[in-house]
Amino acid sequence: MTSNIRRLVLVRGLPGSGKTTIARMLIIAGMGSGERTICSADDYFYGLPDGIYRFDKSKLSDAHDECQRVAFGAMNDGHSLVVVHNTFTTMWEMVPYLSIAKLHNYSVQVIECKGDFGSVHNVPAEVIDRMRNRWEEYDERL
């Protein structure tokens, strides 16, 4: 028996907290059958064809727009599992995903990663500290 439940999982946390690892595990484990999608703003900065990560702060808005486009498209197409792994330090960053999930009748789960495994993208400590200082706890009423 297959499940018709469609899920959006938002994985949030500071750089180096384990977001990408958890997101990949969720996709591999998958719940039910159907298409699965995983995305993050960081995906935008991996160059083709070499796959090398090249962060460009001036393109961060474009990166988030592309991540939303991928996630929204997957929900529009009815993928059974959509996993987005971004820092999501503030609530307003999650609102667009939550709105589309509600529109398409997706259940939503928010996972907060609190590990400290070191940033694979070498995010400077002062940047991580600024992110930590603006961190907002998730409000399920959103």
Side-chain angles (χ1 to χ4, degrees):
M1 178 180 198
T2 60
S3 172
N4 290 334
I5 296 174
R6 296 182 293 184
R7 295 187 319 143
L8 168 66
V9 181
L10 301 179
V11 183
R12 67 187 298 236
L14 297 175
S17 64
K19 296 179 303 296
T20 301
T21 300
I22 294 294
R24 288 178 180 160
M25 290 171 57
L26 289 167
I27 288 293
I28 290 168
M31 298 298 285
S33 60
E35 294 287 326
R36 299 174 188 144
T37 297
I38 183 172
C39 60
S40 74
D42 274 337
D43 296 344
Y44 185 85
F45 299 108
Y46 283 97
L48 295 176
D50 60 10
I52 295 174
Y53 184 81
R54 293 179 183 92
F55 181 76
D56 180 344
K57 185 177 181 176
S58 72
K59 295 183 179 179
L60 194 54
S61 180
D62 294 338
H64 282 285
D65 289 348
E66 177 65 10
C67 182
Q68 286 182 4
R69 187 192 66 72
V70 170
F72 295 177
M75 286 188 272
N76 244 356
D77 292 343
H79 290 199
S80 62
L81 176 62
V82 178
V83 179
V84 182
H85 54 110
N86 285 327
T87 55
F88 292 121
T89 57
T90 62
M91 290 302 94
W92 70 264
E93 295 166 310
M94 287 189 265
V95 168
Y97 297 95
L98 299 171
S99 297
I100 296 296
K102 185 175 184 177
L103 178 70
H104 291 293
N105 223 14
Y106 274 71
S107 67
V108 176
Q109 180 180 10
V110 176
I111 297 174
E112 291 187 1
C113 295
K114 301 200 179 205
D116 186 4
F117 304 104
S119 169
V120 296
H121 301 305
N122 299 314
V123 178
E126 60 272 9
V127 172
I128 294 173
D129 285 341
R130 282 196 304 268
M131 295 170 101
R132 184 178 292 110
N133 289 335
R134 73 171 176 254
W135 185 269
E136 294 177 355
E137 292 304 317
Y138 175 60
D139 184 346
E140 291 184 19
R141 295 173 293 177
L142 288 177

